[in-house]
Amino acid sequence: MGHQISRRTLFRTASGLAVTGALGSALSACSGGTGAGSTSSDLTMTWWGSDDRHNAYKKALAHFQQENPEIKIRETYSGYEGYFDKFNTNIAGGSAPDLLQMDTALVAQYARKGVLAPIDQYVGKALDLTGFSKTLLAAGTVDGKLYGVPSGIGVNQLTVNRTGLEKLGLKLPDREWTWADLRKISQDVHKKSGGKVHGVDDVGGGALQAFEVFAREHGQTFFSDDGKKVGFTADTLQEWWEYWAEMRRLNACPPPAITSAAHNDLTKNAVVIGKALFTFDIGVYGAGGSITEAQLDFLPTPQGDWSNAREGNYVNGGVLLSATKASKKVADSVKVMTFFAQDETAIKGMQLLRGIPPTEKARDLIASSLTETDKLNMECADYISQRVSKAANALPAPAPPPQGADQIWDLLFQSNLAVAFGKKTIKAQLGEFFDQAAGILGG
Amino acid sequence: MTTAKTDAAVKEQSAPVTPSDQRERDRMRRRLARRRGGGWWPYLFLAPWFIGLFGLTIYPMMDSLYLSFTDFDLLTPAQWVGVDNYDKMFTDDPVFWDSVHATLLYVVVSVPLKLALALGVAMLLNRDLKGIGLYRAAFYLPSLLGGAVAIAIVWRQVFGGDGLFNDFLAWFGIKGQDWISSPDTALYTLILLAVWQFGTPMVIFLAGLKQLPKDVYEAAAIDGASPVTRFFKITLPLLTPIVFFNVVLQIIDAFKTFTPAFVISNGSGGPLNSTMLYSLYLYKKGFTDLQMGYASALAWVLFLVIAGFTAVNFIASRYWVHYDD
């Protein structure tokens, strides 16, 4: 970038002024606001992630702009916390980004509100999705239309501190393990460590990676198909909470203060602070923290050991890239999506930072350059997705979560905590959970 | 009105009026009116303020009043729902009551403690020591940091499970706990943070103490009044207008507290909604749960509650605030 005032800078300044002027009216008129979209000449793109992911994105985008000099990309990025708060405000204020990283759990909500642009018309033309499986694309499909390109395969795994486990003379459990096995080894960890370390973090309130899988093993879903109710029974939830109450009683999982502190804060995760060796949070391995020196390993979520237990795991789409409806540059955004899906440099630079790459070709491209931990992660994910696709009794991947889903997930977390802190009995909390859930989803 | 009066005055003074006189007088009158500040142009200079008042205060307030009767998710047009939001708030929202409980507890505990500490320290600092200015600055410092995010983050570290506070307790052989993530203590760490930031009321108390007449104290000392008696019989009664001012301001401030609760609980208001201060809940409803209509209704309830508290304060003040006669 030189210091001359180019036409572009001049234009950008002028349009900046225009935006500021429009902002006042947009803010006050937000009740009817449709959003004028970005008036800048740049393509605005935003994402959340760790520093590693930021750098990978920036490097890849620099390469993209070299190859497509007519598209200038303005990047904004942050952590996950507050990311969607800001996005909502931007949408209401008419200054939404053209292209953004979207959460698979939220894509349906935004698509149905008309915030995201459907991109089916570009598929096979500017949008090259060669190698993407149908099940994977389902992660970005809402009511039959495609609203986002999945970045990779996501499955429900546990992260394990293998070094810590070996130090205690314990063996990594077999991948075909059950909830009873999880309890057993967690107890062993507590015993062998002299009570210093618990086994697994308390996920009695863990919605997606834990309880949803458990409910699916019972043949139930988290949300009903129409999204107006929860899809599981009180019996299932009771069984789940009783399992975790037992885990706490046995010191197989840490006390509630540790669980509570880790809420929304990966750096306080029980495995990261050294209070447990197993965690249902796969994000831990990106965050590093105090366990970076330990060798991590990965396990599928445990299976049900009752009769008729079904395969509970499923494959989702990692994160997505989506374009916004108000944007005038959807065509350009789609080019960027294609770039991240197919370009060799982008794939190699991104490694596993947005999940296990979505296509066979991409996985082969990075296979040789992966770190040991990344390799283990990919192997385990591969194992799970193979198992899921072979399982005769697996439920289909869950439907996109309805509006209010995140409130239900939070409610589950708080409910488990209320039981764990001894503020409520399981029976009383069950009643409250279903009452409040009905209020949130129904009204 | 003014013109009518001037006309009458003019008529009284001079009896016969010729047309040219009349024209002359009209001109004079206009000039006078201009000199008195009539005309439109002063408003031009006030315009920025008026634009601010209407554009940034009154209009948004009215808009939010309207939104409070709608279902509005920020992304699609608002739907009129009548008083549903208010109805739901009071009858069908347990988290609302959690937040009311947390906020009232926060206000009722933190404000008196903060004011007592502020007055105490102000009295200590109300003397002519060497370097007293430095002490005053030092005690005021925490308030400068005020609602800063950084301080809230520090607080989270200090009162966390392996934080400084537990290390301190360990010296005395006391085993601490994670104060931030236990539902029984989390709110009190917020209260402590509020009390620690007592600088603003302290400075106001200090200014008030400096106004108190010295001769009264001298007379009291001669009569043998103890320091305690002097405090309760002289200082406190004379200071009541200042106390009143601080009480009103601090209550309003406490009701609006947001940043520390947001930062310390990672935006969750947890554990178990124990730090779900009202403003935080309002923010969550609006920007996280996308229920801007409901959030607007919450905001108006908060506005009315604060107005109510302030009114009660003013009425009660008649009975305990003494002004100089």
Side-chain angles (χ1 to χ4, degrees):
Chain A
M1 290 247 182
H3 286 279
Q4 284 162 298
I5 296 180
S6 67
R7 260 172 93 123
R8 182 178 298 284
T9 357
L10 204 68
F11 180 69
R12 206 184 299 162
T13 320
S15 62
L17 286 174
V19 168
T20 327
L23 199 65
S25 50
L27 270 178
S28 42
C30 58
S31 44
T34 46
S38 169
T39 48
S40 162
S41 66
D42 296 348
L43 178 80
T44 50
M45 175 172 178
T46 165
W47 67 82
W48 78 87
S50 59
D51 283 346
D52 288 347
R53 197 193 268 175
H54 297 329
N55 290 333
Y57 261 123
K58 282 197 281 192
K59 248 173 106 177
L61 288 172
H63 181 73
F64 175 82
Q65 288 176 90
Q66 253 172 25
E67 292 189 342
N68 301 275
E70 75 285 1
I71 302 176
K72 284 271 173 284
I73 300 178
R74 194 147 46 89
E75 306 149 358
T76 44
Y77 45 87
S78 64
Y80 188 77
E81 190 62 29
Y83 176 83
F84 279 100
D85 294 0
K86 187 176 171 203
F87 178 64
N88 296 335
T89 320
N90 280 341
I91 291 280
S95 58
D98 297 300
L99 175 63
L100 77 152
Q101 183 176 293
M102 174 52 69
D103 194 334
T104 31
L106 298 174
V107 63
Q109 188 178 329
Y110 284 107
R112 288 192 179 126
K113 285 192 185 302
V115 169
L116 303 179
I119 46 177
D120 305 83
Q121 59 185 108
Y122 300 99
V123 178
K125 294 170 216 154
L127 184 53
D128 180 2
L129 296 178
T130 316
F132 279 68
S133 72
K134 228 186 165 132
T135 41
L136 188 57
L137 283 178
T141 306
V142 182
D143 302 332
K145 282 190 191 155
L146 187 65
Y147 287 97
V149 176
S151 68
I153 295 168
V155 287
N156 298 297
Q157 304 185 48
L158 277 85
T159 307
V160 185
N161 178 346
R162 205 176 73 194
T163 315
L165 208 59
E166 280 162 1
K167 257 189 208 156
L168 299 179
L170 292 166
K171 272 207 337 236
L172 193 74
D174 189 81
R175 279 174 179 165
E176 296 293 315
W177 65 329
T178 65
W179 294 101
D181 294 334
L182 174 64
R183 178 168 53 213
K184 174 80 180 52
I185 190 150
S186 297
Q187 263 180 286
D188 288 350
V189 168
H190 187 254
K191 244 180 264 161
K192 294 232 167 165
S193 69
K196 284 203 189 93
V197 185
H198 307 271
V200 61
D201 61 350
D202 180 354
V203 288
L208 291 189
Q209 283 174 339
F211 178 63
E212 182 175 46
V213 174
F214 185 78
R216 288 165 61 87
E217 286 165 355
H218 281 90
Q220 296 164 11
T221 53
F222 199 100
F223 295 108
S224 66
D225 285 342
D226 62 2
K228 301 260 190 254
K229 295 193 293 284
V230 293
F232 50 87
T233 62
D235 286 349
T236 307
L237 185 55
Q238 180 174 354
E239 195 187 328
W240 176 250
W241 279 346
E242 274 165 2
Y243 176 83
W244 287 102
E246 173 80 354
M247 293 288 274
R248 285 187 294 267
R249 202 179 57 73
L250 297 169
N251 281 314
C253 68
I258 288 178
T259 312
S260 162
H263 193 39
N264 291 350
D265 189 353
L266 218 48
T267 64
K268 298 271 170 67
N269 176 283
V271 167
V272 174
I273 63 170
K275 282 289 178 189
L277 297 182
F278 295 79
T279 175
F280 278 73
D281 204 325
I282 191 90
V284 160
Y285 113 85
S290 59
I291 50 157
T292 37
E293 279 145 49
Q295 177 58 55
L296 300 178
D297 211 330
F298 303 88
L299 282 172
T301 45
Q303 291 175 292
D305 50 4
W306 52 88
S307 62
N308 309 322
R310 304 171 73 158
E311 172 62 57
N313 219 314
Y314 59 90
V315 177
N316 70 28
V319 294
L320 302 160
L321 284 183
S322 293
T324 52
K325 203 169 194 175
S327 164
K328 295 195 180 84
K329 304 192 183 68
V330 179
D332 286 349
S333 297
V334 164
K335 277 189 201 161
V336 180
M337 294 178 196
T338 299
F339 172 75
F340 278 105
Q342 307 291 355
D343 185 88
E344 219 170 281
T345 336
I347 292 166
K348 281 185 173 163
M350 203 46 90
Q351 301 268 348
L352 298 190
L353 289 166
R354 298 190 307 157
I356 317 287
T359 65
E360 198 72 48
K361 175 189 122 187
R363 285 194 288 271
D364 288 346
L365 272 175
I366 59 164
S368 59
S369 61
L370 286 180
T371 64
E372 176 70 14
T373 312
D374 279 352
K375 243 180 231 160
L376 291 169
N377 182 21
M378 195 154 106
E379 264 171 40
C380 181
D382 201 40
Y383 177 86
I384 298 170
S385 64
Q386 301 247 356
R387 192 176 82 191
V388 169
S389 65
K390 277 187 212 137
N393 60 356
L395 294 178
Q403 176 161 14
D406 39 357
Q407 290 179 64
I408 303 284
W409 298 328
D410 198 50
L411 178 63
L412 186 73
F413 180 84
Q414 300 293 348
S415 300
N416 180 59
L417 213 54
V419 173
F421 273 119
K423 300 279 177 194
K424 288 273 163 59
T425 64
I426 289 179
K427 270 266 153 44
Q429 192 58 47
L430 273 176
E432 261 185 45
F433 177 88
F434 281 92
D435 262 9
Q436 291 190 37
I440 292 166
L441 292 171
Chain B
M1 290 294 143
T2 341
T3 4
K5 233 183 229 164
T6 336
D7 274 353
V10 168
K11 249 176 215 145
E12 255 172 54
Q13 276 170 17
S14 50
V17 179
T18 66
S20 75
D21 281 350
Q22 184 62 51
R23 264 200 304 278
E24 185 60 28
R25 272 179 203 145
D26 283 351
R27 210 175 297 142
M28 280 291 289
R29 212 180 296 148
R30 270 197 300 267
R31 205 175 295 155
L32 266 173
R34 219 175 296 155
R35 204 172 297 157
R36 270 196 221 111
W40 55 269
W41 53 269
Y43 295 101
L44 187 69
F45 290 104
L46 281 171
W49 184 81
F50 272 113
I51 291 170
L53 176 70
F54 285 101
L56 299 175
T57 307
I58 305 225
Y59 179 77
M61 274 182 80
M62 290 302 116
D63 206 35
S64 104
L65 182 62
Y66 162 74
L67 287 177
S68 76
F69 295 105
T70 65
D71 187 1
F72 178 42
D73 65 5
L74 270 177
L75 309 176
T76 47
Q79 306 283 325
W80 183 265
V81 293
V83 293
D84 276 14
N85 287 329
Y86 293 93
D87 184 42
K88 185 174 174 235
M89 194 185 306
F90 291 108
T91 58
D92 191 25
D93 184 358
V95 186
F96 168 76
W97 291 111
D98 285 349
S99 82
V100 167
H101 176 252
T103 311
L104 285 179
L105 192 63
Y106 177 80
V107 172
V108 167
V109 179
S110 78
V111 172
L113 283 178
K114 185 178 187 173
L115 291 180
L117 190 64
L119 181 56
V121 175
M123 290 182 60
L124 288 177
L125 293 178
N126 183 29
R127 44 183 85 182
D128 298 317
L129 288 175
K130 212 174 169 194
I132 190 75
L134 203 66
Y135 289 116
R136 285 178 192 157
F139 278 104
Y140 185 67
L141 214 55
S143 301
L144 277 182
L145 304 167
V149 171
I151 285 300
I153 290 174
V154 168
W155 221 248
R156 199 166 76 195
Q157 302 298 345
V158 169
F159 289 96
D162 45 7
L164 219 58
F165 185 65
N166 281 345
D167 291 350
F168 172 74
L169 288 181
W171 285 353
F172 304 96
I174 302 168
K175 191 173 162 3
Q177 51 154 329
D178 192 331
W179 307 92
I180 299 276
S181 57
S182 159
D184 298 322
T185 55
L187 186 66
Y188 291 95
T189 65
L190 286 183
I191 288 173
L192 205 61
L193 176 58
V195 173
W196 180 61
Q197 295 177 330
F198 60 85
T200 309
M202 178 198 79
V203 167
I204 297 170
F205 276 134
L206 197 56
L209 288 170
K210 294 234 167 278
Q211 302 296 317
L212 299 186
K214 286 217 169 61
D215 46 348
V216 181
Y217 286 95
E218 279 160 15
I222 289 167
D223 287 348
S226 71
V228 177
T229 316
R230 269 179 279 167
F231 175 75
F232 282 106
K233 298 279 179 188
I234 304 173
T235 310
L236 210 50
L238 286 176
L239 215 54
T240 46
I242 309 281
V243 174
F244 173 60
F245 177 80
N246 272 335
V247 165
V248 170
L249 279 197
Q250 291 304 322
I251 287 183
I252 294 175
D253 247 24
F255 266 113
K256 296 191 302 184
T257 307
F258 171 77
T259 314
F262 180 81
V263 174
I264 288 176
S265 72
N266 268 320
S268 72
L272 300 182
N273 297 331
S274 61
T275 61
M276 185 70 91
L277 292 188
Y278 198 92
S279 314
L280 177 57
Y281 185 52
L282 195 161
Y283 170 85
K284 268 182 77 125
K285 276 288 150 193
F287 293 98
T288 309
D289 298 344
L290 296 180
Q291 297 176 13
M292 202 44 93
Y294 193 69
S296 297
L298 286 171
W300 274 88
V301 169
L302 177 64
F303 174 74
L304 293 176
V305 167
I306 292 180
F309 263 80
T310 310
V312 167
N313 256 325
F314 268 90
I315 293 166
S317 75
R318 284 182 208 151
Y319 303 99
W320 63 272
V321 176
H322 309 289
Y323 292 99
D324 268 348
D325 294 312

